[in-house]
Amino acid sequence: MIRAEWVKFRSVRGWVVAVVVAAVAIAGFGLSGGDQGTCYGNSCAQLTGPGGEAVSDSFYFVHQALTGNGSLTVRVTSLTSTVRVPHGGTRRAAVPWAKAGIILKATLTPGSAYAAIMVTGSHGVRMQDDFTGDIAGPAMPAGWLRLTRSGATVTGYASADGARWTRVGAVALPGLPAIVQGGLFTTSPQWTQTSLGVATITGSPSQSTAVFDHAALTWRGGTWTGTDVGGSSGPAAGPATGYSRAGGQFTVMGSGDIGPVTYGPSGIGTTPAQTLAGAFIALIILAVVGAMVITAEYRRGLIRVTLAACPRRGRVLAAKAAVTGLVAFAAALAGTAVAVPAGQRVLRSHGVYLPPMTAVTELRMIVGTAAALAVCAVLAVAIGTIARRGAAAVAAVIALIAAPYVLTVSIPVLPLGAADWLMRVTPAAAFAVEQTVVQYPQVDDVYAPAYGYFPLPAWAGFAVLCAWTAVFLALAALALNRRDA
Amino acid sequence: MRRAIRAEWAKACSDPAVPWLLAALVVLSVAVSGVTVAAARCPAAACGQDPARISLAGVYLGQAVAALAGVLALGGEYSTGMIRVTLTAIPRRRRLLAAKALVLGGPVLLASALALGAATLAGVIVLPGHGFTAGHGFDLASWATARAWCCATAYLTLVALLGLGVTAIVRDSAASTGVVLGLLYLFPIAALAVGDQAVKRRLEQIGPMSAGLDSQATIDLHGLPLAPWAGLGVVALWAAGALALGGALLRLRDA
């Protein structure tokens, strides 16, 4: 049965050529390299935080050395941000994760342990520690903040009026040295604006200015020093940073971020999913071939011969699905096995930073994408069996499988909400197998499927496609059994 | 010629796929446009967003349906063998192709005009409430918007004709669908994938989709790879080239 179907598939020259083209397209796009970056050699070697993850750590710090236990209180009266406009100059803008507040940091070296309480551009008061910890406090844009150290525990408080205090959270920082650097900080991350879905990206570094007053320490007071932590190391001159003091009022200007690194328009480099840009061509081709495998038989009347030769109709469908799926899988695997490893090499050789990836994740990307394409082809067979007419089947397959993928990943014109929704419910959800990076809600970036951030975990997305395929295969088997050929 | 058109018209009217395709063209275009219009925000002046492109985003999906309509107008005949009957009735091959182009182009033009008109109207009504105001430098009810609508409508029609031309060359529905969709989506994605700016710009100038969609732009016209009408001209050249080659091959080959 399988052999008969394989012979039929093999003997149609157009299908064989199409499948080969699909494999070549995946590999070709993977090797074409894409963007130019500026990371050659170790120039973009990432800082790592206490937890071992890649982090950014740059901010303006007005600090003094603080020994032992104590507490620091300050009022943030305002936090404003500016971004660059395309033709020079700057303008005020809302930067949701601009941060200003109090930080206690093990050393001035970027990447060292810290705990901080801050007001943010539009996420209220937050307490953050060691780059990935994030606790939400009261939703106020400015106000009183306090950070208290007791041994290895740092506790954050916030208050609207300086009298009634709310405890935001306490974090343990084991190994915090007896003498730490503590004080006021301001930082302001890369600002990005998307238009036409996420197809057009514009952005610039942002700069934030915070005004502090009523700074009070229970430690023995020293002198305040300003340091641009992690700053001025980048190749391009960033926005101005610094601080000024007038009586009890500090004005601190900063740019950068304290948090985990993300990959994409607002972060650095790109995600390895970029190496699979050619998958869209393979998807269109394999879906159309999958639909034709059965509709061509109806068109030519061959289906009557097939069903006469094998009256068990369910088996006919199973054999067709198996042959199409296996052929698609083999072709796609040949493409992805070249595109993912070699594509990453090409990107790195062009100076594009890619996050490190474990061998298991890489294997999941290679095999998973091939499997997703193969199951899409099987789904197309099922749809073709139900529709019987080539035109209707091809239209349904394009609308259901190819269009959601192309419009959210390849040419991402759909807005983020719609793109995420499509990537949860349509068969294209399976391409979540290309997911290799983590989204951090406390870092602003364009977390879109087009940049390798999928709303579902890899296997959940794949399960969505399998569910679609199972349902349509069952319907197809039912239709094939019930109807005359 | 009139007889040829009438014959093609009768065939198109009796094909059950035609109303579905036209309905899909309208519904899918309006749906995608509606979603992008609803999500668009322009928080400040010089926000760099083109309201016409946002309103007309449905073209990105609508073109797939238009291409499919073009492919099926001829591809269906090849798969059923109907083409032999057709050519017996109308032996002048290029006349047949011209008749098909007219019978295909008319309804697609009307459906596109309707769908994109609705999308443009939705943009003109909704977008000012999302920050696309005169204060931010936008004038939505303008000639530029009308031009974008006309260009997008013409673009969808030309894509359908491109589909017809490619099918006359390839002679198989499935393969033609693959070729046309590949041709449309390949250039913009390839342009994203190359690093060299000059090559990227050239790819955007010659690709039917990127050139054709430039014709919808209403802001930053100087920064475009091609002027709006020139962009539409590129698509017209693609369609005319495919039809001419298809017509020549139709004459030279047996059906």
Side-chain angles (χ1 to χ4, degrees):
Chain A
M1 198 64 235
I2 298 249
R3 223 170 108 196
E5 291 303 331
W6 165 238
V7 170
K8 273 192 256 178
F9 192 98
R10 204 182 52 182
S11 59
V12 182
R13 204 183 40 184
W15 296 351
V16 176
V17 171
V19 168
V20 172
V21 169
V24 172
I26 298 178
F29 265 93
L31 293 174
S32 71
D35 323 319
Q36 295 287 321
T38 52
C39 293
Y40 292 95
N42 282 327
S43 65
C44 291
Q46 281 304 305
L47 279 176
T48 49
E53 67 288 316
V55 298
S56 325
D57 195 8
S58 66
F59 58 98
Y60 199 87
F61 194 13
V62 180
H63 58 98
Q64 46 184 288
L66 305 172
T67 310
N69 297 334
S71 136
L72 173 53
T73 306
V74 77
R75 184 173 75 164
V76 186
T77 54
S78 75
L79 172 63
T80 53
S81 309
T82 59
V83 298
R84 291 182 189 165
V85 295
H87 307 295
T90 58
R91 70 169 173 84
R92 285 277 294 271
V95 177
W97 281 109
K99 299 167 183 171
I102 310 170
I103 186 167
L104 294 182
K105 195 162 170 62
T107 66
L108 288 177
T109 315
S112 63
Y114 75 93
I117 186 155
M118 66 204 76
V119 298
T120 58
S122 55
H123 293 282
V125 172
R126 313 293 286 206
M127 174 145 186
Q128 298 191 343
D129 69 293
D130 283 1
F131 303 97
T132 51
D134 179 37
I135 304 164
M140 55 189 194
W144 293 78
L145 302 173
R146 175 179 291 161
L147 212 52
T148 302
R149 176 179 181 186
S150 169
T153 306
V154 180
T155 313
Y157 302 87
S159 165
D161 51 11
R164 283 167 296 138
W165 289 85
T166 314
R167 183 172 171 279
V168 177
V171 296
L173 297 179
L176 197 66
I179 304 175
V180 296
Q181 295 294 328
L184 315 177
F185 79 101
T186 304
T187 191
S188 193
Q190 173 79 17
W191 170 86
T192 308
Q193 179 182 282
T194 59
S195 98
L196 201 62
V198 294
T200 321
I201 301 273
T202 46
S204 80
S206 68
Q207 186 233 41
S208 290
T209 305
V211 179
F212 300 88
D213 58 11
H214 294 98
L217 317 107
T218 60
W219 283 284
R220 197 150 49 83
T223 48
W224 294 104
T225 317
T227 304
D228 198 354
V229 175
S232 65
S233 61
T241 58
Y243 90 105
S244 62
R245 183 176 180 180
Q249 181 171 302
F250 294 84
T251 305
V252 183
M253 291 186 293
S255 181
D257 201 9
I258 310 172
V261 160
T262 59
Y263 305 90
S266 291
I268 58 164
T270 185
T271 58
Q274 169 132 4
T275 57
L276 290 169
F280 87 101
I281 296 209
L283 179 62
I284 291 177
I285 291 176
L286 295 174
V288 170
V289 168
M292 297 303 286
V293 163
I294 181 90
T295 58
E297 291 214 9
Y298 275 103
R299 187 164 282 162
R300 312 234 177 244
L302 184 64
I303 190 74
R304 287 188 282 275
V305 180
T306 304
L307 292 180
C310 178
R312 304 271 298 270
R313 297 183 172 196
R315 278 200 188 177
V316 172
L317 181 64
K320 274 197 188 299
V323 167
T324 313
L326 286 175
V327 170
F329 181 71
L333 190 63
T336 55
V338 174
V340 175
Q344 289 187 79
R345 275 201 163 168
V346 172
L347 281 171
R348 288 207 172 101
S349 74
H350 289 179
V352 176
Y353 185 84
L354 289 170
M357 193 163 53
T358 63
V360 175
T361 313
E362 188 161 350
L363 195 67
R364 188 241 292 158
M365 262 185 95
I366 294 171
V367 178
T369 306
L373 287 167
V375 179
C376 282
V378 172
L379 175 58
V381 172
I383 292 174
T385 310
I386 296 166
R388 291 194 283 191
R389 287 178 48 89
V394 169
V397 160
I398 298 277
L400 190 66
I401 309 173
Y405 182 74
V406 169
L407 294 183
T408 55
V409 176
S410 302
I411 306 173
V413 294
L414 288 176
L416 215 49
D420 273 356
W421 183 78
L422 281 177
M423 279 309 209
R424 282 175 196 276
V425 303
T426 66
F431 289 91
V433 293
E434 295 173 14
Q435 181 125 281
T436 55
V437 277
V438 186
Q439 291 186 25
Y440 291 100
Q442 72 269 37
V443 182
D444 257 334
D445 203 341
V446 185
Y447 295 118
Y451 299 105
Y453 293 91
F454 295 87
L456 288 178
W459 297 111
F462 197 77
V464 171
L465 171 63
C466 290
W468 274 93
T469 309
V471 168
F472 272 85
L473 274 178
L475 288 176
L478 198 68
L480 199 61
N481 275 320
R482 285 278 179 86
R483 294 189 298 213
D484 274 342
Chain B
M1 186 69 192
R2 270 185 50 203
R3 277 184 49 221
I5 293 174
R6 262 188 51 200
E8 288 306 322
W9 183 253
K11 270 192 278 182
C13 287
S14 57
D15 186 344
V18 170
W20 282 104
L21 281 168
L22 293 179
L25 176 63
V26 175
V27 170
L28 292 178
S29 304
V30 173
V32 172
S33 287
V35 168
T36 49
V37 164
R41 295 285 182 280
C42 181
C47 62
Q49 309 200 45
D50 190 332
R53 276 186 187 241
I54 291 166
S55 313
L56 294 169
V59 168
Y60 284 94
L61 187 53
Q63 64 182 347
V65 186
L68 202 59
V71 167
L72 294 175
L74 184 60
E77 296 212 9
Y78 273 104
S79 47
T80 52
M82 174 78 166
I83 188 73
R84 286 187 282 274
V85 181
T86 304
L87 289 177
T88 312
I90 311 168
R92 306 282 295 273
R93 310 279 155 113
R94 279 180 297 192
R95 180 174 291 180
L96 168 70
L97 200 59
K100 275 204 180 290
L102 281 175
V103 169
L104 167 72
V108 171
L109 184 78
L110 279 180
S112 315
L114 181 73
L116 300 178
T120 306
L121 209 60
V124 170
I125 293 169
V126 175
L127 286 178
H130 291 180
F132 293 84
T133 54
H136 288 168
F138 293 104
D139 178 17
L140 290 176
S142 65
W143 282 113
T145 307
R147 192 219 345 107
W149 167 63
C150 288
C151 286
T153 304
Y155 171 73
L156 283 185
T157 313
L158 289 170
V159 166
L161 295 179
L162 176 64
L164 178 66
V166 168
T167 313
I169 300 167
V170 179
R171 297 195 288 187
D172 177 81
S173 309
S176 308
T177 310
V179 169
V180 180
L181 292 185
L183 202 61
L184 289 175
Y185 293 113
L186 181 70
F187 283 93
I189 296 169
L192 285 180
V194 299
D196 190 328
Q197 288 301 318
V199 176
K200 191 189 193 81
R201 200 173 163 83
R202 185 48 52 88
L203 280 175
E204 284 173 349
Q205 283 170 342
I206 61 174
M209 176 169 153
S210 39
L213 294 182
D214 275 350
S215 66
Q216 301 173 6
T218 54
I219 64 164
D220 287 339
L221 294 183
H222 297 292
L224 292 177
L226 279 176
W229 292 109
L232 204 57
V234 170
V235 193
L237 279 179
W238 274 96
L243 282 173
L245 183 60
L249 287 175
L250 205 55
R251 246 167 74 104
L252 293 174
R253 292 191 298 211
D254 275 342

